[in-house]
Amino acid sequence: MSHRQLLPRDVPVQLINADGKADSDDVYLAASPTALTDGYRSLVVSRRINDQCYALVRQGRLAVYPSSYGQEACQVAAVSVLDDGDWLFPTYRDSVSLMLRGIAPADALTLLRGDWHCGYNPHEFRVAPQSTPLATQLIHAVGFAHAAVLKGEPTVVMALCGDGATSEGDFHEAMNFAAVFHLPVVFFVQNNRFAISVPFSKQSAAESLAHKAAGYGMPGEQVDGNDLAALLAVLGIAVDRARSGGGPTLVEAHTYRMQAHTNADDDTRYRDSGEVQAWAARDPLVRLRKYLRGKNALDDAEETAFAAEADEIATTLRDALNTDVQPDAGELFRHVYATSTPQLDEQWASLQGELERSEDGAKS
Amino acid sequence: MTMLQENSAKVDTGVETMSMAAALNRALADELAADDCVVVFGEDVGALGGVFRVTDGLTGQFGEKRCFDTPVAESGIVGTAVGMAMNGLRPIVEMQFDAFAYPAFEQVVSHVAKMGNRTRGAVRLPIVIRIPYAGGIGGVEHHCDSSEAYYAHTPGLTVVAPSTPQDAYSLLREAIRFPDPVVFLEPKKLYWAKGPVDTSSTAEIGKARVIREGTDATLVAYGTSVPIALEAADAAAAEGRSLQVVDLRTLSPYDDATIDAAVRSTGRAVVIAEAPGFASMASEIAARISERCFSWLEAPVRRVTGFDIPFAPPRLEHFYLPDVDRVLDAVDSLNWDS
Ligand SMILES: Cc1ncc(C[n+]2csc(CCOP(=O)(O)OP(=O)(O)O)c2C)c(N)n1
């Protein structure tokens, strides 16, 4: 393919605009109203999870929560386009994607609650541990896909990252490796305009990150990240391409982080509320709801049912996080090596001694 | 037949004499043949056979899917190994030189070392990261570094540094079958040193070995410092002093039992390592001996190490590297009148 064919559109793909009106497109097709209603249900649940986690942080039940409020369409689409056997390589911000992939909310939040570094078995859900070092997981995704090809398995790997992560060297190495070895990876950048406090303009001088793809020899596309229909269409085609041997794709979603980076961050220091308000008008839930209502594909009964389902998940989440689980100190030593070492055995014995003494009251 | 295999001479006992590089090559070939999940990759490991020729002939013998060249991207090499291992393969990656492995350092420390722990043992990473390490070959800057402390300091990594072709062969095979990631440090200056290799012999990761008996003092060495320790023991014997030599072979986990027994039997210890001494492997060894063998000791544990400077340029290297005289001086200072 010539590099021109690899280039994304100049304007992000959009199938449903902010007013909930459909745009026609000759390449990308919106999913059926039924499928989109299902997507809307996931959006409602996702929004509720974000709200609940925000509250749990305030109540001191979660140590930290990088919210994906406003980015829910990306969270839903990234998982919806995958088959069961495919793999997801998420970041710290992608907890909602984890839950949509079937991981119990409390297990998905083990990391952010501070109980353990990863609360689920990656093989069970085909979800890698959430990566906090930026862009490093993109290379793991590439290696995973390479192994799948060597083993003759049809696995597609979805690798998530933010716009800030694209400045890291590992982003480049991952793109290049995947393109050179023609691997079934979809790189999905959620460009939410900020890396903590640093605006996208200080991250990259490029107008679009998707254009970078051509330089590596893979197709790129940019898409409205608040438009679930467009995301499903663009990511769906990228996944199909990967599965049919067409190699990797870079997809950049233009979206916005509506809340602070985490609870530890004060976003009023680096952006004005006007900007945030402007993005609120493009909310992914509102527009899809308008669209579906306009098509009579969503009625009051369904909305009530979705809200009830979201309530239920929120309650489960709240209950699980309000339960105090005593962390097991032995875990500190148990998993460092497949077979423990004499040094670790000795250190665990000494900690056990300390713990026993403190139970005896001998140690304050 | 590969170039390296041609170079190795068959002897009657079934044991062959070969260089360490050839022994490593044989270990890789034997494991590639034994297990389809084993893959070897890195920079120039294919047609060229690696800059030290350790992967010589492997692509020809096993095909490009089993031994392949990657882009020049150390982080990418180690990071893709993580993903491959997650997906059931046993990757062996080659870092071209110790001082060029640092772009991969984040992957090594943040992911390779931690994945098993992070996932409560659900994801083990059976990766071998082969790194030609240390000096003594007259390499220019960034071609020699003694980086073992960075890796040994990192929980979750197993760090191996053989000093003989036999151990190189046995330990590499063991490392490839090991369930956890192994940083396998190959002493560059010993790549061409020859010795007998019995391919049926095994060596256990985590076990040090007394390689020379002695009664007056114990020299603790590993990798490149082992031949120096042996030479020093020979020289001391000529002067009537009996030095024992222990080869660590595995730096982490550390074999306290063997070292303790050795040091307690002689009551004196000198640790030899070429890396800068400050906050080093040698410091760790000396501290452990002091803590665990204090009442057996006749003198403080001495360290003979490199200076705390960036690795010396080739023409100054001989000033930097520990040598037999420095070892003998340290031995002389071990409180012999007490
Ligand atoms: C290698 C690395 N450097 C720095 C950090 C600290 N850090 C955490 S999040 C972040 C910003 C990331 O922004 P972006 O990639 O756009 O993702 P977003 O948080 O917006 O989803 C930084 C700098 C990190 N996690 N990893």
Side-chain angles (χ1 to χ4, degrees):
Chain A
M1 259 200 261
S2 87
H3 70 272
R4 277 181 206 293
Q5 288 169 288
L6 300 175
L7 287 174
R9 297 187 182 176
D10 285 336
V11 179
V13 176
Q14 191 186 63
L15 299 181
I16 300 176
N17 70 24
D19 297 326
K21 297 275 182 297
D23 290 327
S24 67
D25 194 288
D26 42 13
V27 176
Y28 298 106
L29 298 177
S32 70
T34 326
L36 287 175
T37 305
D38 208 42
Y40 178 71
R41 182 168 127 251
S42 298
L43 285 182
V44 171
V45 167
S46 302
R47 175 63 50 89
R48 190 54 190 268
I49 292 168
N50 277 322
D51 284 339
Q52 184 60 64
C53 289
Y54 188 83
L56 287 163
V57 166
R58 298 201 139 189
Q59 293 154 13
R61 286 288 163 184
L62 263 180
V64 62
Y65 186 67
S67 173
S68 59
Y69 193 115
Q71 297 178 222
E72 287 95 343
C74 297
Q75 296 287 297
V76 171
V79 171
S80 304
V81 294
L82 298 181
D83 282 353
D84 268 358
D86 294 338
W87 272 70
L88 180 75
F89 280 70
T91 78
Y92 51 85
R93 197 174 298 288
D94 302 314
S95 304
V96 169
S97 279
L98 265 58
M99 297 177 204
L100 294 171
R101 187 91 174 136
I103 298 171
D107 295 341
L109 293 170
T110 308
L111 170 79
L112 301 171
R113 188 190 194 183
D115 291 335
W116 193 253
H117 310 302
C118 171
Y120 51 91
N121 178 342
H123 287 288
E124 192 182 343
F125 298 95
R126 285 153 315 279
V127 176
Q130 282 178 289
S131 186
T132 45
L134 299 171
T136 52
Q137 81 284 4
L138 303 177
I139 311 187
H140 305 165
V142 171
F144 198 97
H146 197 167
V149 169
L150 291 176
K151 290 161 72 183
E153 290 167 353
T155 316
V156 171
V157 182
M158 173 73 65
L160 307 182
C161 75
D163 46 298
T166 68
S167 301
E168 295 275 3
D170 275 11
F171 171 80
H172 164 79
E173 296 196 16
M175 294 290 172
N176 194 51
F177 255 82
V180 167
F181 290 106
H182 207 66
L183 300 173
V185 186
V186 178
F187 296 99
F188 181 34
V189 182
Q190 293 167 67
N191 181 351
N192 63 10
R193 311 309 297 175
F194 286 92
I196 308 186
S197 66
V198 181
F200 181 62
S201 60
K202 284 199 181 147
Q203 212 61 246
S204 175
E207 193 62 30
S208 135
L209 294 169
H211 279 79
K212 290 180 191 279
Y216 298 105
M218 70 169 91
E221 190 60 280
Q222 45 179 345
V223 52
D224 181 332
N226 290 14
D227 175 359
L228 184 65
L231 284 160
L232 291 172
V234 170
L235 288 172
I237 284 186
V239 166
D240 290 347
R241 176 182 300 129
R243 199 175 323 275
S244 62
T249 304
L250 171 61
V251 175
E252 176 189 19
H254 294 275
T255 184
Y256 196 79
R257 163 161 66 64
M258 294 300 288
Q259 294 175 335
H261 170 69
T262 67
N263 48 301
D265 157 56
D266 173 9
D267 65 328
T268 61
R269 293 177 72 126
Y270 55 82
R271 63 184 185 186
D272 65 49
S273 62
E275 183 181 279
V276 182
Q277 284 318 307
W279 275 90
R282 307 196 207 170
D283 190 280
L285 277 80
V286 175
R287 85 166 67 170
L288 189 57
R289 183 173 174 277
K290 278 187 190 158
Y291 173 82
L292 292 171
R293 281 288 196 170
K295 289 219 171 260
N296 287 324
L298 179 69
D299 58 28
D300 289 344
E302 276 169 315
E303 291 225 55
T304 313
F306 296 168
E309 191 185 331
D311 271 347
E312 209 178 297
I313 290 175
T315 307
T316 313
L317 190 55
R318 207 167 43 236
D319 290 349
L321 269 80
N322 281 330
T323 310
D324 275 314
V325 189
Q326 276 312 310
D328 167 11
E331 277 218 293
L332 289 173
F333 300 91
R334 204 170 297 144
H335 314 294
V336 183
Y337 297 96
T339 312
S340 189
T341 70
Q343 280 88 48
L344 289 183
D345 291 343
E346 227 170 77
Q347 289 167 25
W348 171 220
S350 105
L351 177 59
Q352 272 173 306
E354 274 179 42
L355 295 173
E356 275 159 28
R357 282 194 302 280
S358 66
E359 274 161 24
D360 295 346
K363 192 169 170 260
S364 61
Chain B
M1 220 193 218
T2 73
M3 192 178 85
L4 286 166
Q5 282 161 351
E6 279 161 10
N7 286 346
S8 59
K10 198 118 177 111
V11 287
D12 289 336
T13 54
V15 175
E16 290 177 43
T17 299
M18 62 178 91
S19 69
M20 185 186 284
L24 293 164
N25 179 263
R26 183 70 62 86
L28 292 172
D30 288 351
E31 284 302 320
L32 279 161
D35 182 353
D36 283 349
C37 291
V38 173
V39 285
V40 174
F41 55 100
E43 294 160 12
D44 304 296
V45 299
L48 182 66
V51 289
F52 293 104
R53 304 293 185 272
V54 173
T55 58
D56 193 25
L58 298 180
T59 302
Q61 204 176 334
F62 297 96
E64 279 191 4
K65 289 188 166 180
R66 306 289 305 283
C67 178
F68 54 90
D69 286 323
T70 64
V72 181
E74 291 74 17
S75 190
I77 292 167
V78 173
T80 51
V82 170
M84 287 183 162
M86 285 179 77
N87 198 358
L89 299 188
R90 303 187 86 87
I92 306 167
V93 300
E94 177 172 302
M95 296 284 103
Q96 205 152 57
F97 288 92
D98 34 27
F100 297 139
Y102 299 129
F105 200 61
E106 182 187 11
Q107 287 289 344
V108 174
V109 173
S110 297
H111 297 293
V112 173
K114 290 178 178 163
M115 189 68 81
N117 189 57
R118 194 177 181 189
T119 60
R120 293 191 165 103
V123 180
R124 291 280 164 205
L125 298 178
I127 299 171
V128 179
I129 303 176
R130 296 181 32 244
I131 308 180
Y133 101 103
I137 59 161
V140 295
E141 198 192 14
H142 290 104
H143 289 74
C144 290
D145 224 350
S146 299
S147 42
E148 62 267 33
Y150 303 129
Y151 302 109
H153 186 67
T154 305
L157 298 180
T158 294
V159 185
V160 173
S163 72
T164 64
Q166 177 68 66
D167 280 350
Y169 176 83
S170 306
L171 287 166
L172 183 53
R173 288 203 69 174
E174 175 103 356
I176 297 165
R177 289 163 181 240
F178 208 62
D180 282 319
V182 177
V183 173
F184 197 89
L185 300 171
E186 301 171 359
K188 282 177 219 125
K189 81 165 183 189
L190 303 180
Y191 267 141
W192 303 282
K194 290 193 173 180
V197 174
D198 175 353
T199 51
S200 66
S201 156
T202 54
E204 210 180 325
I205 284 177
K207 292 274 180 276
R209 194 160 66 95
V210 175
I211 54 171
R212 182 190 169 106
E213 294 296 342
T215 52
D216 295 337
T218 300
L219 304 181
V220 182
Y222 60 87
T224 49
S225 60
V226 171
I228 297 162
L230 289 171
E231 228 184 292
D234 278 343
E239 294 167 10
R241 211 164 253 164
S242 163
L243 302 186
Q244 186 187 38
V245 178
V246 186
D247 181 352
L248 228 51
R249 308 198 293 179
T250 300
L251 309 189
S252 175
Y254 179 82
D255 185 359
D256 285 299
T258 302
I259 309 294
D260 289 356
V263 172
R264 289 172 190 182
S265 76
T266 63
R268 291 180 170 82
V270 174
V271 183
I272 312 162
E274 70 163 61
F278 189 80
S280 65
M281 193 65 214
S283 307
E284 178 62 25
I285 299 169
R288 297 185 88 83
I289 294 173
S290 303
E291 278 177 359
R292 303 169 65 97
C293 308
F294 187 70
S295 27
W296 285 266
L297 289 175
E298 306 284 345
V301 182
R302 285 291 310 268
R303 285 175 291 163
V304 178
T305 69
F307 302 120
D308 296 325
I309 58 172
F311 202 92
R315 297 182 61 194
L316 302 169
E317 202 181 31
H318 61 290
F319 293 123
Y320 173 82
L321 294 172
D323 62 7
V324 171
D325 286 340
R326 276 186 206 153
V327 176
L328 292 176
D329 283 348
V331 170
D332 283 343
S333 76
L334 293 175
N335 222 8
W336 295 99
D337 304 329
S338 68

